[in-house]
Structures are given as C-alpha cells and as structure tokens.
C-alpha cells in the first residue's frame, strides 16, 4: 500500500490540533528522598513525556517549589506555555500517610541511613498542605496520594487489574506500604500495612511499636537487621545483599535476616487475604531482592519465605497469586497521574 507522506502529516497536524482544543492531561509527580520524578499523560493514560530532578534539600517549602517547577516544565514542553490550565491537573504521591480529601501530607520522614555513600541529612514533614500550595502556584486542580496507592492505580489500569477485580499492591522501599483495589474500586483509606504487628515479641520498629512488618522489612530495616546480626558496617541494602550472597563467615546470619523479612511480609500478605480476599498481590521491591537463582541466597531466602503466606491466612483465602515487579523510574509517577485524571478531571480509564 502506498502512503502519501503529505496525508500522514496532515492527519498528524489535525490530531494535534484536536488534542490541543479538546484534550485533557495530567501530570504525575513522585516525591522521593532528594529527587523528583514526573510524567505527563493524556486522557488515555499513555505517558507523553517524563523527567527527573535531583534535590539538594528536602524542606517542604523548597520541595513544593521544585514540584511546581517540574510540573510547569512538563506541561510547557509537551503542550505549550499557553495551554489552558483548566484542562490540566497534577497528582503528587509521597511515601507516607496523607489526607487525600484535603491534599495534606500528614507525616513524611526519612533517616540518613536510607541512602548509600552520601548519607544526606534526615528531614520530617508534619501536616503540610501540599495540594493547596501547588494548586495556588500552578492554577490547576491537584491531588495528593500515598505512594502505594499510586502503584495500585497503575496496576488497576495497566497491570493485574486487567484480569483481577480485587487485588493488593505491596511496595517495599525505605519502608513498606500497601494499596488495595476491591471489586474494581481503589481504596483510598490509609492502610498502614508496614505497621501491622507480625512478631508480638519482635524487634522495635522505628515507629516505636514492637514487631511491625517494618521492623524487619524495607531497605532501612533490612540493612539495620543484617548489621545487628553480623556486627558489620553496611552501606545500604545492596551491601547487605552482597554479604548474604558471598562467602563471608557471617553470610549465614545475613541470609537469616532476609528469610525473616520474607516471613514478615508473608504474614502481612496473609492479613490482606483474610480481610479482602484478593486474587493477586503485586509486590514491588528492589530488583536484587526479587531476582532469585543460583548463588542469590538473599533473594532466594526472601522469596521462598514470602511465598509461604498460605500458612498464615484463613483457609478460604489462600488461593492467591503473588506477582513480583522490580521498581522502575516512572511507574509511581504514572500512577499519580492516573489518580489525578480520575479525581480532578473525572476521566476513568478502562482496563486494557
């Protein structure tokens, strides 16, 4: 078939013109320790552009300013400086509890041991009106969500939600979070999954309680537990995994820490099964924690223990498929944009 190049160009121009006249768009931004990740998506949920920025400080006022600048840059570069803000919205997600109704970040904290090599200073946010401040700066609708809920929104439209009406997402990063979709509806209620008690006489968690999932799991806790068990100074999760995978005399103790982390997560997954009965649970974590195989004793031990969740679940809730996905650069920001499309502009994506 012969295709007239001029016809193709005309169709592209007409499509672009229609998009600018009628299209609705969302910017999604993920706030992580000392970095921002952003995407812009169309009303079909497809990513049109993305960007990342590093931050030198994490004071809330400075971060809000940089989030606004990143959002403006994405819109201007992809849609043009004059694009009407009434057809753009912004969704932001953070790794801590939020109030999505008011757009407030209730608590966001990070410790200096969460990062390798540079070890930047810790920070803490309390009751920050992130959504209102961004809306004032940008002149468009905004929403704020927890990071695990953003990953759940991504899975709902573009992942396991295509096959499952009820599923969970567990997000393992510095801490541990969870989001749920029940009968096709994403639960926006706060789910402090990482602070479920799974070891009644266990290790004290950073939150002050004893035996939480996060007392054993999460990059911060896992590194700390391996340090405690081996007496070794470790520069982050990668070093803890390397110790467990190596031939050091303390490797067995390190492997035991990863096994207990997997058991902690399996008990938490069992609680989700008993409460909600999901057909799937998607676990996001560092790739080295999920890539098993010969010589990979940390991942092997962690995954084997995690998959024993049926032993801790109500017997009618044990039929569940665990899906593991390594964390990537933009999926969390993408999920935040999808939430904004629905919450701010009323665009509900169909599962594909």
């Amino acid at each position: 078939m012969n295709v007239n190049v001029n016809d193709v160009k005309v169709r592209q121009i007409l499509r672009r013109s229609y998009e600018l006249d009628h299209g609705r768009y969302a910017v999604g931004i993920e706030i992580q320790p000392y970095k921002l990740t952003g995407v812009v998506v169309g009303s079909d949920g497809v990513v049109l552009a993305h960007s990342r920025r590093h931050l030198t400080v994490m004071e809330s006022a400075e971060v809000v300013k940089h989030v606004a600048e990143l959002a403006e840059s994405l819109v201007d570069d992809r849609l043009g400086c004059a694009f009407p803000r009434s057809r753009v919205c912004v969704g932001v997600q953070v790794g801590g509890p939020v109030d999505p109704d008011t757009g407030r970040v209730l608590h966001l904290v990070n410790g200096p041991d969460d990062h390798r090599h540079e070890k930047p200073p810790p920070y803490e946010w309390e009751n920050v009106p992130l959504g209102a401040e961004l809306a004032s700066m940008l002149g468009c609708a905004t929403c704020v969500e927890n990071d695990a809920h953003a990953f759940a929104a991504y899975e709902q439209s573009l992942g396991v939600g295509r096959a499952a009406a009820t599923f969970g997402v567990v997000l393992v990063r510095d801490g541990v979070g969870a989001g749920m979709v029940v009968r096709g509806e994403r639960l926006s209620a706060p789910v402090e999954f990482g602070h479920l008690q799974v070891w009644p006489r266990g290790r004290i968690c950073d939150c002050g309680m004893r035996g939480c999932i996060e007392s054993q799991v999460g990059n911060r806790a896992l590194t700390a537990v391996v340090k405690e068990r081996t007496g070794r100074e470790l520069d982050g999760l990668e070093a803890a995994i390397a110790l467990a995978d190596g031939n050091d005399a303390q490797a067995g103790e390190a492997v035991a820490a990863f096994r207990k982390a997997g058991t902690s997560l399996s008990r938490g997954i069992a609680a989700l099964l008993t409460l909600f009965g999901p057909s799937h649970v998607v676990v996001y974590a560092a790739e080295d924690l999920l890539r098993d195989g010969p010589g990979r004793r940390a991942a092997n031990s962690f995954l084997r223990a995690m998959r024993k969740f049926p032993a801790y679940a109500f017997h009618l809730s044990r039929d569940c498929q665990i899906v593991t996905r390594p964390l990537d650069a933009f999926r969390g920001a993408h999920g935040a944009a999808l939430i904004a499309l629905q919450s701010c502009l009323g665009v509900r994506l169909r599962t594909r």
Side-chain angles (χ1 to χ4, degrees):
M1 178 185 297
N2 294 323
V3 178
N4 189 310
V5 174
N6 290 329
D7 288 346
V8 172
K9 289 182 177 178
V10 168
R11 286 197 295 270
Q12 289 174 341
I13 292 170
L14 290 174
R15 184 167 59 250
R16 175 62 173 159
S17 177
Y18 180 86
E19 288 175 352
L20 293 176
D21 287 340
H22 302 283
R24 291 178 291 176
Y25 300 86
V27 175
I29 294 180
E30 177 178 72
I31 299 175
Q32 285 188 270
Y34 295 91
K35 63 183 175 184
L36 301 175
T37 303
V39 303
V40 58
V41 305
S43 56
D44 58 358
V46 174
V47 173
L48 304 174
H50 55 76
S51 182
R52 303 184 78 182
R53 291 189 179 182
H54 289 282
L55 303 174
T56 57
V57 297
M58 283 297 293
E59 283 81 4
S60 61
E62 285 296 310
V63 173
V64 171
K65 182 178 74 173
H66 286 292
V67 168
E69 290 173 353
L70 178 56
E72 288 278 16
S73 174
L74 284 164
V75 171
D76 292 350
D77 291 348
R78 184 61 181 81
L79 304 175
C81 298
F83 191 82
R85 293 309 189 252
S86 61
R87 289 193 278 118
V88 180
C89 60
V90 176
V92 183
Q93 58 102 323
V94 300
V98 306
D99 182 346
D101 293 331
T102 63
R104 286 182 175 271
V105 177
L106 302 179
H107 191 227
L108 185 66
V109 64
N110 209 62
D113 290 336
D114 294 342
H115 306 280
R116 301 172 63 249
H117 307 306
E118 69 272 18
K119 298 199 185 307
Y123 57 87
E124 187 169 10
W125 297 9
E126 291 278 1
N127 203 30
V128 174
L130 177 60
E133 291 179 3
L134 283 175
S136 176
M137 289 181 181
L138 295 170
C140 62
T142 66
C143 64
V144 178
E145 256 298 0
N146 170 263
D147 56 354
H149 291 179
F151 277 82
Y154 176 89
E155 288 291 335
Q156 184 176 18
S157 294
L158 302 171
V160 300
R162 292 175 292 186
T166 299
F167 65 88
V169 170
V170 173
L171 182 61
V172 181
R173 292 208 280 204
D174 288 343
V176 186
M180 287 296 309
V181 173
V182 179
R183 296 183 180 179
E185 296 293 331
R186 184 177 54 83
L187 298 185
S188 188
V191 180
E192 286 297 334
F193 177 78
H195 299 292
L196 292 175
Q197 187 189 62
V198 293
W199 302 101
R201 293 180 294 278
R203 182 175 178 269
I204 295 177
C205 178
D206 286 349
C207 74
M209 298 193 300
R210 185 177 292 278
C212 299
I213 292 173
E214 276 192 27
S215 71
Q216 298 288 332
V217 192
N219 301 355
R220 180 170 55 239
L222 250 174
T223 303
V225 171
V226 173
K227 284 182 181 179
E228 291 166 9
R229 295 185 72 115
T230 65
R232 299 298 178 86
E233 283 300 317
L234 299 169
D235 200 8
L237 181 65
E238 291 180 9
I241 291 173
L243 177 59
D245 290 347
N247 297 316
D248 190 277
Q250 295 295 326
E253 287 294 328
V255 168
F258 284 93
R259 185 181 305 113
K260 188 162 186 177
T263 299
S264 302
L265 208 56
S266 73
R267 293 181 175 186
I269 290 170
L272 294 182
L273 298 185
T274 301
L275 288 170
F276 300 107
S279 61
H280 297 70
V281 171
V282 184
V283 178
Y284 281 91
E287 183 175 7
D288 285 344
L289 202 56
L290 301 179
R291 184 158 54 91
D292 54 0
R296 301 188 60 83
R297 292 193 290 272
N300 293 343
S301 299
F302 175 77
L303 290 171
R304 276 199 296 265
M306 183 183 70
R307 290 180 174 130
K308 292 180 179 178
F309 65 87
Y312 308 106
F314 180 57
H315 68 92
L316 294 180
S317 308
R318 294 173 182 171
D319 186 14
C320 176
Q321 181 179 344
I322 301 295
V323 179
T324 59
R325 301 202 202 283
L327 291 162
D328 69 4
F330 296 103
R331 197 163 295 182
H334 195 171
L338 297 178
I339 290 174
L341 277 178
Q342 180 175 341
S343 300
C344 300
L345 299 181
V347 176
R348 190 175 181 90
L349 298 181
R350 294 180 179 177
T351 55
R352 300 178 182 184

